[in-house]
Amino acid sequence: MEYSTNVVSKRERDCLVSLVEGSTKGFPLRLYQIASFLRVKPPTALNVVRRLEQKGLAQSKDGMTLLTELGDRTAKRILLVHRTYESLLCQSGVSEKSACSDAANVDFIIPEEEARLILKKIGNPRLCPHGKPIRDGEDK
Amino acid sequence: MEYSTNVVSKRERDCLVSLVEGSTKGFPLRLYQIASFLRVKPPTALNVVRRLEQKGLAQSKDGMTLLTELGDRTAKRILLVHRTYESLLCQSGVSEKSACSDAANVDFIIPEEEARLILKKIGNPRLCPHGKPIRDGEDK
DNA sequence: CCATGCATTAGTATCACACTAACGATATTA
DNA sequence: TAATATCGTTAGTGTGATACTAATGCATGG
């Protein structure tokens, strides 16, 4: 019955993923882009970004937001878990679409080490159902 | 990037599980017992119970709290997911203890149908690592 | 120089979660 | 019976995440 202090909330998770997926080649995102990703008004998005900054996961300059080193690692970790869980679901017979949205609800909660063990158990697929690499290398 | 309106929060989940596991043979729980399960002060526990009541998941009388039919079904659903995920983790090489506490962080988020599919994929075990039945019948 | 676009601030609201302090009722016990 | 202990409940606060509107500020391109 313990309470685990999550590193990031769902919203913060979404924001991190937006930043890592949206900012191709290191280009930072504008606030209105983040707000659009999150389907939220700019002041709300700013709030989320501020929280990420306080946690050392993002940094903003002149309205441009970029992940920090830590934020990048965190986002990559989330994506690893996401794609692992997604693969598990698809292998189990869940549709690709459901798998993706449902994975997004847990990928920031499940510890990385567990995801790696699950990944091994399901046969170490290299690609997630969307065809994106699960491990290390490039995303997108 | 949608936001899923969770039926229950983590706290409410813990409370539901306490009620279904603590109240053997239909005996209701006292508030101080719930508070003790949740490691929280009585007023806080009362607050959680009130929310469960508002959602139609529990009902109190003379300080005794009991699950409603809906609450019972909800709690059983959570336990099914819990034991399924727990089994998956243990099969993957996670320790029993970690598996249990980590499963508690996602068992109220993962949809039942997905858990059933996962259960099938991992070989339809009848018992969770703790030896409790995963499907239907009796808990405890 | 002005309008448009965007970031930011200020102010507000809700919900979950948590606490302390105080009060009330009941039960046990001296 | 009176005193004490136990427990539920209320009242009052506080925090953090999430969300909004309205207003302000700043820059850039007409």
Side-chain angles (χ1 to χ4, degrees), chain B residues 38-110:
Chain B
L38 302 181
R39 302 192 193 189
V40 131
K41 302 297 173 195
T44 302
L46 183 60
N47 218 306
V48 180
V49 170
R50 291 267 161 83
R51 287 204 305 276
L52 290 182
E53 286 176 346
Q54 281 190 336
K55 293 178 180 180
L57 300 172
Q59 52 186 4
S60 299
K61 197 165 202 169
D62 307 321
M64 320 286 272
T65 304
L66 209 50
L67 290 177
T68 60
E69 194 55 41
L70 177 60
D72 195 64
R73 260 183 289 129
T74 305
K76 295 250 171 71
R77 179 177 61 69
I78 289 172
L79 286 180
L80 168 76
V81 179
H82 182 91
R83 290 169 188 166
T84 297
Y85 188 71
E86 211 174 28
S87 300
L88 167 69
L89 288 182
C90 284
Q91 284 191 17
S92 301
V94 177
S95 80
E96 211 175 290
K97 199 176 158 69
S98 297
C100 187
S101 67
D102 288 340
N105 290 322
V106 295
D107 58 15
F108 62 105
I109 300 174
I110 298 173

Side-chain angles (χ1 to χ4, degrees), chain A residues 9 11 40-41 43-44 47 51:
Chain A
S9 68
R11 250 313 169 231
V40 131
K41 304 295 172 196
T44 301
N47 217 307
R51 287 204 304 277

Side-chain angles (χ1 to χ4, degrees), chain A residues 77-89:
Chain A
R77 179 176 62 70
I78 289 172
L79 286 180
L80 168 75
V81 179
H82 182 92
R83 290 169 188 167
T84 297
Y85 189 71
E86 212 174 28
S87 300
L88 167 69
L89 288 182

